[in-house]
Amino acid sequence: MVREQLAQRGIADRAVLAAFSAIPRELFVPRTLASRAYEDCALPIACGQTISQPFVVAYMFEALALTGRERVLEVGTGSGYSAAILSHVARTVFSVERFARLAASAERRLHRLGIVNVHVSRADGTLGLASEAPFDAIVVAAGAREVPQPLVDQLIAGGRLVMPVGGDGEFQSLMRITRSESGGVSEEDLGQCRFVPLVAGTARR
Ligand code: SAH
């Protein structure tokens, strides 16, 4: 997967590639789909959500330009897979998920793998995570019409936010927002992508 689907398709960040080699994706997909864990596609997980496509996760993390010293906020823990990858390329990861059930199972998987620098909580990521802000980088694994302002506000100067942004269709543009020293922002379109929707509020289960 790392060689054929990531490196050969242009992912060059060595730390990102090493992280993908270190984390067994089959532990993050439903048992019945384990044989498909290394296909380059999104797969269904509980609560009607998906574990993202490996290439897209790698592309997003490469776009964050991490050095390994950052505090990172991830919105949309899902299975916990991308949080596990992030644990290898950042210093501390705060990952929020609106479904309590997904947050709990992700936490169990990360614990089982001995990952101690990821903190999962059930929370509405459209609000960011004020108690731990600011962040050097923020990654959002769900798409919305607009970037929620609290996320921009919780970035340090020079911080990067990567998130799918789009209208009503099923596709979004992967946007990188960089906060300047003066507090302004610059935006870059990194290409088309397809994510589950970012939904405000926490889920009942
Ligand atoms: N990164 C995940 C993929 C997550 S799919 C993985 O590797 O498995 C996107 C996730 O975002 C879903 O689990 C969905 O429940 C969650 N989500 C959607 N809106 C949210 C919100 N407002 N706050 C927190 N999580 C949210």
Side-chain angles (χ1 to χ4, degrees):
M1 182 184 91
V2 170
R3 198 175 48 244
E4 292 174 15
Q5 296 161 21
L6 305 183
Q8 285 178 13
R9 289 174 61 195
I11 304 297
D13 185 320
R14 284 172 180 278
V16 170
L17 292 172
F20 275 87
S21 296
I23 304 295
R25 192 167 183 254
E26 75 266 20
L27 300 185
F28 293 85
V29 301
R31 214 162 292 155
T32 51
L33 294 174
S35 63
R36 300 184 55 197
Y38 297 99
E39 291 177 16
D40 191 35
C41 60
L43 292 170
I45 57 172
C47 303
Q49 305 303 314
T50 56
I51 175 172
S52 312
Q53 179 189 351
F55 177 79
V56 176
V57 177
Y59 188 63
M60 289 173 96
F61 290 177
E62 185 166 70
L64 292 175
L66 301 172
T67 64
R69 293 190 294 269
E70 293 82 2
R71 284 162 56 82
V72 179
L73 172 66
E74 175 184 56
V75 175
T77 315
S79 67
Y81 178 67
S82 53
I85 301 285
L86 268 181
S87 78
H88 280 251
V89 293
R91 182 179 357 222
T92 312
V93 180
F94 299 92
S95 185
V96 296
E97 168 57 53
R98 64 187 293 273
F99 284 98
R101 178 176 162 200
L102 289 176
S105 56
E107 209 163 22
R108 268 198 307 276
R109 292 190 181 104
L110 295 165
H111 179 78
R112 221 177 292 146
L113 288 172
I115 293 171
V116 295
N117 61 335
V118 177
H119 307 280
V120 178
S121 48
R122 179 202 192 198
D124 176 7
T126 64
L127 306 174
L129 190 63
S131 58
E132 299 294 345
F135 302 98
D136 300 292
I138 300 178
V139 62
V140 183
R145 273 180 159 277
E146 283 172 12
V147 178
Q149 189 59 36
L151 297 181
V152 178
D153 295 342
Q154 291 176 21
L155 275 181
I156 62 156
R160 286 87 57 205
L161 184 160
V162 172
M163 170 175 172
V165 183
D168 294 326
E170 46 183 328
F171 293 96
Q172 303 93 28
S173 295
L174 190 64
M175 300 299 297
R176 173 165 57 193
I177 284 103
T178 305
R179 188 168 175 164
S180 69
E181 300 293 329
S182 60
V185 293
S186 63
E187 291 187 8
E188 296 157 84
D189 186 341
L190 306 178
Q192 201 182 54
C193 58
R194 188 180 185 181
F195 276 83
V196 296
L198 184 72
V199 181
T202 49
R204 252 182 267 134
R205 5 179 210 161

